Amino acid sequence: MTAPLETDIAIVGSGFGGSILAMIARRLGLRVALLERCTHPRFAIGESASPLAGVILEQLARRYDLPRLEPLATYGAWRRHYPHVTCGLKRGFTYYKHTAGERFASRSDRANELLVAASPSDELSDTHWLRADVDHFLVQEAIALGVEYVDDLLIDEVNWSPGDVRLTGCRRGVITRVAARFLVDASGPHGFLSRARGISDSGFDGYPATQALFSHFTGVARCADMPEYAPRGFPESRPSERPPYAPDAAALHHVFDDGWMWVLRFDNGVTSAGVAVTDALAADIRLGDGEPAWRRLLARYPSIAAQFGDATPIREFTWMPRIAWRSSIAAGDRWAMLPSAAAFVDPLFSTGIPLTLLGIERLARALEGSTLWGEPGQARARGPDTVRPAIAVSLDEADHVARFIAGCYAAFPRFDDFVAWSMFYFATASFSEMSRRLHGDRSRGFMGADDGRLTHAMVELSPARAGTAARIRAYGARVADAIAPINVAGLADVSRRNWYGIDVEETVAAAAKLGAEPDQVRSMFTT
């Protein structure tokens, strides 16, 4: 048995969220223990960032003097500074709608596809994160800042006393103890604290039951090299008829009636791919069978099967019999969960990384002015609890995201409704990113969760409401009206036929919506 490790804050889970929070806590002058059940490098899911994630990461790096984090915010800077840490180019969000038993065929009206650019260039592009590399890198950065890192630790006992939290576990045959004045769970959905405290899954109201199956592959073909995805009906010489970015250099989604598939490319030739499907489809193809179920799904969609015709999985398939998880509570006396442990909805629209970074930002602010820290070994001073309100916001945002994703699943069979409904995400995401760049961390909550007018419109227009699109005439126009006050990217414009590139002048013209001058907005695209 080793002597107890005495610390101010213990963080269980050394994924990107736990490691970044550990670095921030060190910059706040706290003693930090970062505890990991496994060892690095290790596989993890949650691999696609977003423009909002990039700007939050930049702002965290600057506020807490963590300059080595900042290059991770954009593809160009990442590749220059950390070429050994694998990432992938993510220029936008690509969606193709498939019908069972039929090959995909690009249409001249582009009604079965959607491309939305997220950045104006490769240099400023978002990234896919090969989590084995990224998480390992961040752990090493935390150690370099003085974080006490303990891996290969299986914690089997948690005791709460008036002054601290005491963790007991086993590390390579040796009993290991940690005493901390505050405990953070960064171990993922239904993770350490949910099990230790018997916290239930409260679920999301009206959310469909879904399952997932995924792996990493080599040899996955690019849609751009497959004839069925080539633009139809117009000469390639017309710039307006060229895709706004290379469709595969994106978070690429294959959408079908009962779910969807992600295809994320890394620069080392590895591709992350997986499916999220309803329970009905999962039962039909026996998703729990792993690779045989994957093959059964591909057999239904000829063009997807062709893309994976020469692909080889390089790890075992992982089956998630239930994707969504929502903790009934996410913070208490001397403990809190990061958003990644408190709730998970679905990887559609890449919401996981920015939600976690928002939770880190809020928890860090709460810890800055917290009354948790007295002299070592003493009970904490009594004062206002700043942590619980900060974490409660994350649960509210998860509920908001779940309502949006439920609408997506309901709209999958009617792709034109899905395209219209998706504009709520793209409008709120682009507005939040630009507003943060202009005004700091001022926001209306993730996806406009604090904007009562917008959230009311999303409830009224959700495809998950029975017959919504059928009973609302000009559904797309209604969505366009709802997002108009925050639409700074020319979205919901039917004349663009589902291809949305970056139009700098269009965004400059919307400067007033951002509370900025045109020159301020233009400068965001040149710096």
Side-chain angles (χ1 to χ4, degrees):
M1 180 181 296
T2 62
L5 174 61
E6 300 277 350
T7 189
D8 293 313
I9 180 169
I11 301 170
V12 179
S14 63
F16 79 90
S19 292
I20 291 173
L21 180 63
M23 286 186 266
I24 291 172
R26 281 297 299 146
R27 287 303 197 206
L28 293 175
L30 303 176
R31 299 170 301 166
V32 185
L34 183 60
L35 312 177
E36 170 59 46
R37 182 173 183 171
C38 302
T39 59
H40 286 280
R42 52 149 172 75
F43 174 82
I45 200 68
E47 301 158 312
S48 196
S50 70
L52 180 60
V55 70
I56 297 170
L57 196 58
E58 286 179 353
Q59 291 172 347
L60 289 172
R62 293 169 186 174
R63 181 178 181 88
Y64 297 105
D65 189 24
L66 296 168
R68 288 180 57 80
L69 283 185
E70 196 165 347
L72 301 178
T74 58
Y75 180 77
W78 184 322
R79 289 301 306 271
R80 286 193 302 277
H81 287 81
Y82 306 124
H84 60 289
V85 181
T86 305
C87 68
L89 180 64
K90 182 185 177 183
R91 286 292 307 277
F93 293 77
T94 300
Y95 303 84
Y96 295 118
K97 177 61 166 69
H98 295 262
T99 301
E102 299 179 10
R103 294 190 74 88
F104 181 87
S106 182
R107 294 169 44 171
S108 59
D109 62 2
R110 302 200 283 261
N112 58 351
E113 61 188 271
L114 172 65
L115 275 67
V116 182
S119 57
S121 66
D122 290 3
E123 173 67 22
L124 300 176
S125 177
D126 306 327
T127 51
H128 302 308
W129 296 7
L130 185 64
R131 289 285 302 278
D133 278 13
V134 175
D135 291 359
H136 191 199
F137 169 77
L138 292 172
V139 164
Q140 297 302 314
E141 291 295 303
I143 293 170
L145 289 177
V147 171
E148 293 281 354
Y149 175 61
V150 183
D151 66 358
D152 207 11
L153 174 64
L154 180 61
I155 302 171
D156 52 24
E157 186 177 342
V158 184
N159 292 301
W160 305 81
S161 70
D164 58 21
V165 183
R166 294 189 174 266
L167 309 174
T168 303
C170 183
R171 182 177 190 264
R172 300 167 189 168
V174 178
I175 300 300
T176 301
R177 295 179 294 163
V178 179
R181 282 182 286 169
F182 194 75
L183 179 62
V184 175
D185 185 356
S187 62
H190 197 201
F192 166 71
L193 271 177
S194 294
R195 298 190 299 271
R197 298 188 67 83
I199 297 171
S200 63
D201 177 5
S202 65
F204 297 105
D205 292 340
Y207 192 81
T210 54
Q211 303 180 32
L213 183 69
F214 49 86
S215 187
H216 280 177
F217 301 80
T218 57
V220 178
R222 293 181 179 271
C223 291
D225 296 331
M226 300 173 66
E228 52 261 64
Y229 295 97
R232 300 293 176 89
F234 293 89
E236 292 185 6
S237 59
R238 288 174 56 175
S240 63
E241 303 311 324
R242 298 195 199 106
Y245 54 86
D248 298 271
L252 190 146
H253 309 73
H254 294 302
V255 176
F256 32 91
D257 284 359
D258 298 312
W260 65 284
M261 175 184 289
W262 68 85
V263 183
L264 312 175
R265 295 181 177 275
F266 302 111
D267 289 351
N268 64 350
V270 171
T271 297
S272 172
V275 293
V277 300
T278 63
D279 273 4
L281 178 55
D284 196 24
I285 61 174
R286 303 190 299 279
L287 200 67
D289 290 350
E291 187 170 359
W294 178 264
R295 292 196 297 267
R296 287 191 285 269
L297 179 71
L298 293 186
R300 297 183 175 210
Y301 301 101
S303 294
I304 304 177
Q307 184 178 18
F308 284 83
D310 295 324
T312 302
I314 59 174
R315 63 177 306 276
E316 291 185 4
F317 280 78
T318 298
W319 173 47
M320 291 178 63
R322 182 64 63 239
I323 298 177
W325 158 269
R326 186 199 189 278
S327 177
S328 54
I329 57 173
D333 184 27
R334 287 164 293 145
W335 66 270
M337 297 179 183
L338 286 187
S340 54
F344 184 78
V345 182
D346 190 283
L348 189 64
F349 289 94
S350 307
T351 59
I353 290 177
L355 278 172
T356 295
L357 291 173
L358 280 170
I360 291 170
E361 179 181 66
R362 293 179 182 129
L363 183 54
R365 292 291 181 90
L367 294 177
E368 282 184 41
S370 176
T371 56
L372 293 165
W373 321 118
E375 291 299 320
Q378 293 181 356
R380 67 184 177 92
R382 294 296 173 186
D385 185 346
T386 58
V387 172
R388 275 185 258 201
I391 299 302
V393 173
S394 295
L395 283 180
D396 291 343
E397 289 180 340
D399 291 337
H400 181 57
V401 170
R403 288 191 293 270
F404 172 71
I405 299 296
C408 293
Y409 274 88
F412 282 160
R414 307 178 305 278
F415 193 67
D416 56 341
D417 292 343
F418 169 76
V419 169
W421 177 243
S422 74
M423 295 296 111
F424 278 109
Y425 170 80
F426 292 116
T428 54
S430 56
F431 183 88
S432 293
E433 179 217 349
M434 295 181 194
S435 182
R436 270 183 166 263
R437 292 193 184 281
L438 290 163
H439 307 299
D441 62 2
R442 187 178 77 189
S443 72
R444 304 183 187 187
F446 187 75
M447 278 193 67
D450 292 341
D451 185 333
R453 182 204 61 80
L454 186 70
T455 55
H456 176 74
M458 292 178 70
V459 169
E460 290 296 310
L461 294 172
S462 173
R465 296 187 67 181
T468 296
R471 66 181 173 79
I472 296 178
R473 292 186 178 182
Y475 179 68
R478 287 284 302 275
V479 172
D481 287 343
I483 66 172
I486 59 165
N487 185 0
V488 296
L491 300 163
D493 180 351
V494 295
S495 71
R496 300 177 72 167
R497 292 181 292 124
N498 293 352
W499 281 2
Y500 293 93
I502 300 293
D503 188 327
V504 174
E505 292 308 314
E506 197 164 38
T507 303
V508 168
K513 297 179 183 181
L514 292 161
E517 295 298 323
D519 287 346
Q520 290 177 284
V521 174
R522 185 175 283 105
S523 70
M524 291 194 300
F525 296 94
T526 59
T527 57

